[in-house]
Amino acid sequence: RKDIPEIYREASPVSHVTSDDPPVFFINGDNDLLVPIANSTRLYQSLKDAGVPTERYIAKSQGHMATYLNLKAIDAAIDFVKLQLAPAPESGSTEK
C-alpha cells in the first residue's frame, strides 16, 4: 500500500462515489471479520455526504453470514427498496 497508494485509492469504491449513484442499503454485523464495519461505514458516510439515499442495518453480535440470515435485516432491506421504488408524490397537485 505504501508503494502504490494510488492503485489502492482507485480500487476503493469510496473513490468513485458521485451524487448520481443509485440508492444503497448496507447490512453489517458488528462482529464481521470478513468485511470490517469500518469499511462499510466509510462508504455509507461518503454516499450520505454526496446526497445518495442510503441506509444501513447493523446486526449486533453477528458475523458475516449470520447477518444475511437475520430476519430484521432482511425486513429493513425490503422496506428500503420499497421506499426507493415508491412513486414520488406529485408536486402542486390539488387532488384529494
Side-chain angles (χ1 to χ4, degrees):
R1 289 183 187 211
K2 283 191 254 179
D3 295 339
I4 51 171
E6 65 280 354
I7 299 295
Y8 280 87
R9 252 190 319 278
E10 191 64 25
S12 172
V14 173
S15 299
H16 302 282
V17 169
T18 60
S19 62
D20 63 345
D21 287 344
V24 179
F25 185 83
F26 292 89
I27 299 174
N28 248 122
D30 64 1
N31 270 346
D32 192 329
L33 301 177
L34 186 59
V35 179
I37 199 164
N39 291 1
S40 64
T41 298
R42 227 177 355 264
L43 182 54
Y44 167 78
Q45 192 59 55
S46 292
L47 289 163
K48 277 187 76 85
D49 292 347
V52 175
T54 184
E55 290 183 19
R56 65 184 185 162
Y57 182 92
I58 299 173
K60 301 295 181 200
S61 303
Q62 291 191 337
H64 191 76
M65 291 307 296
T67 300
Y68 290 94
L69 301 175
N70 181 307
L71 294 179
K72 289 182 182 178
I74 293 167
D75 287 342
I78 290 169
D79 289 344
F80 179 77
V81 170
K82 284 180 180 178
L83 179 66
Q84 298 309 310
L85 295 177
E90 291 185 37
S91 61
S93 176
T94 58
E95 192 173 319
K96 292 187 180 191

